[in-house]
Amino acid sequence: MASPLADRLRPKTIDDMVGQRHLLGPGKALRRIIESGEIPNLIFYGPSGVGKTTLASIIARQTNRALRKLNGTTAGTADLREIFTEAENTFTAPNGILLYLDEIQYFNKKQQQTLLEFIENGKITLIASTTENPYFYVYNAILSRSTVFEFKTVEKAEVAKAVERAFSLLEEERGEGFQIEDGVVGHIALACGGDVRKAMNSVELCVLSSPAADGVRKITLETAKELTQKSALRYDKDGDEHYDLLSAFQKSMRGSDPDAAVHYLARLLEAGDLPSVCRRLMVTACEDVGLAYPQIIPIVKACVDAAFQVGLPEARLCLADGVILVSIAPKSNSAHNAINEAMEDVRRGKYGPIPRQLQNKHFDGEDNPVKGQFYQYAHDFENHWVDQQYLPDVLKNVEYYHFGENKNEQAYRQYWEKVKGRKL
């Protein structure tokens, strides 16, 4: 059985790799480290299919180390100890072992501590890779002994080079000619979402699904589109990409960029994550538009209710209305700041007895020397307002809410300045 195309086409040198120029370009730090031959423990962090495994193999080859690979989803402590035993044998590994541990985030703390025990003496060099943020998932003691490099999705132009090489290799292996329609290479390079391995799989599928006539296979753009229609989507509801996407969605609405907000909405809906979209949309309407346009809250709630009622794909229409409205609406976070400050005081224990006039009491005990509740009913006074103390004594002069600079809140401010007879 033939190995996958991505493995058969795996680069043998740094210069053959596509992407990661910020790490591997001439004069860049990681390239200089590799060329020195003195390889420290490394952690490669980034999405799948961008060259982490490939670079580990190149490093092992260039430094003449024995490469051993483990995956955090399947390996255990026994597998580690087997490699550690091998590293003690100078005949089988005279230059030491390079251990490539993929998906290190799946190793628990005890397993990572075991790993730490054997990378201290230098006979094993660790290159760990992860698709998750290592500062959240990797044991601190390993992080402190390693250098972290972040890999990024590969640019379309770089992926296109790999796609062209893949078609050439398959043409040679199969002894056939390929007639590749204009746009096929570019579409695959774009649709893979920066994942070179995914692009290689798409190339192989395009070849296998295209009919041959007289020793020539015609690979059409229609075929490429059919086989890659959802391949660009990177989404894991438990991973960093999930939270990055939601963060970008919310920040784009807050930043009043309707185009970016709709873009991220489309990505979230394509992944089918309707609940997360609705939650973030409601939160942004309250947190970031708020009192600048308070009517937006029931409007957005209606959009969310309609989205759940009709379901996808029609829900995209209701949600697009809400997202664009939130994006272009005036912004105010005055209520957000007020409640945060009030909650901080409560958490610090800065509160006191509720003023007597606000308590839910209609009689006085014999122990109370001053009888009467003394509450003044605001509606009995002009403009439905009377000057009395509402905050506890310890917070008597605290101000949590400050009027925003938007039209609505300034109108409220002017009204209450007139009623209360003082600047607010």
Side-chain angles (χ1 to χ4, degrees), residues 8 15 28 91 195 202 305 324 331 336 338 359 388 424:
R8 305 201 304 275
D15 291 327
K28 296 299 182 182
F91 294 102
D195 185 330
S202 296
D305 289 345
I324 292 173
K331 303 295 189 294
H336 162 272
Q359 293 175 8
Q388 67 180 330
L424 299 177

Side-chain angles (χ1 to χ4, degrees), residues 7 17 43 90 96 111 199 237 251 255 269 273 301 307 335 398:
D7 288 338
M17 289 186 64
I43 295 177
T90 56
Q111 289 172 312
K237 289 186 179 181
K251 288 172 181 172
L269 293 182
D273 195 358
K301 177 63 165 59
V398 167

Side-chain angles (χ1 to χ4, degrees), residues 323-344:
V323 166
I324 292 173
L325 180 60
V326 169
S327 298
I328 63 177
K331 303 295 189 294
S332 172
N333 67 342
S334 57
H336 162 272
N337 292 343
I339 186 60
N340 281 358
E341 289 181 29
M343 292 189 74
E344 181 62 24

Side-chain angles (χ1 to χ4, degrees), residues 249-261:
F249 175 55
Q250 189 166 350
K251 288 172 181 172
S252 296
M253 288 188 286
R254 177 184 298 146
S256 303
D257 189 330
D259 301 304

Side-chain angles (χ1 to χ4, degrees), residues 353-364:
I354 294 172
R356 168 65 177 160
Q357 64 269 21
L358 302 186
Q359 293 175 8
N360 187 31
K361 291 185 179 180
H362 304 286
F363 65 92
D364 294 298

Side-chain angles (χ1 to χ4, degrees), residues 365-377:
E366 290 301 322
D367 59 331
N368 189 353
V370 182
K371 301 292 192 285
Q373 186 165 6
F374 311 110
Y375 171 62
Q376 300 181 82
Y377 186 56

Side-chain angles (χ1 to χ4, degrees), residues 4-63:
L5 176 61
D7 288 338
R8 305 201 304 275
L9 200 64
R10 195 178 293 280
K12 300 294 189 293
T13 68
I14 291 176
D15 291 327
D16 290 337
M17 289 186 64
V18 295
Q20 313 313 325
R21 293 300 94 191
H22 66 295
L23 299 177
L24 302 173
K28 296 299 182 182
L30 181 54
R31 183 172 187 137
R32 293 200 308 270
I33 290 171
I34 296 168
E35 289 172 347
S36 75
E38 298 294 327
I39 310 299
N41 298 310
L42 302 171
I43 295 177
F44 293 165
Y45 158 48
S48 58
V50 297
K52 300 189 296 294
T53 304
T54 295
L55 185 58
S57 300
I58 291 172
I59 292 172
R61 188 180 301 110
Q62 287 193 192
T63 58

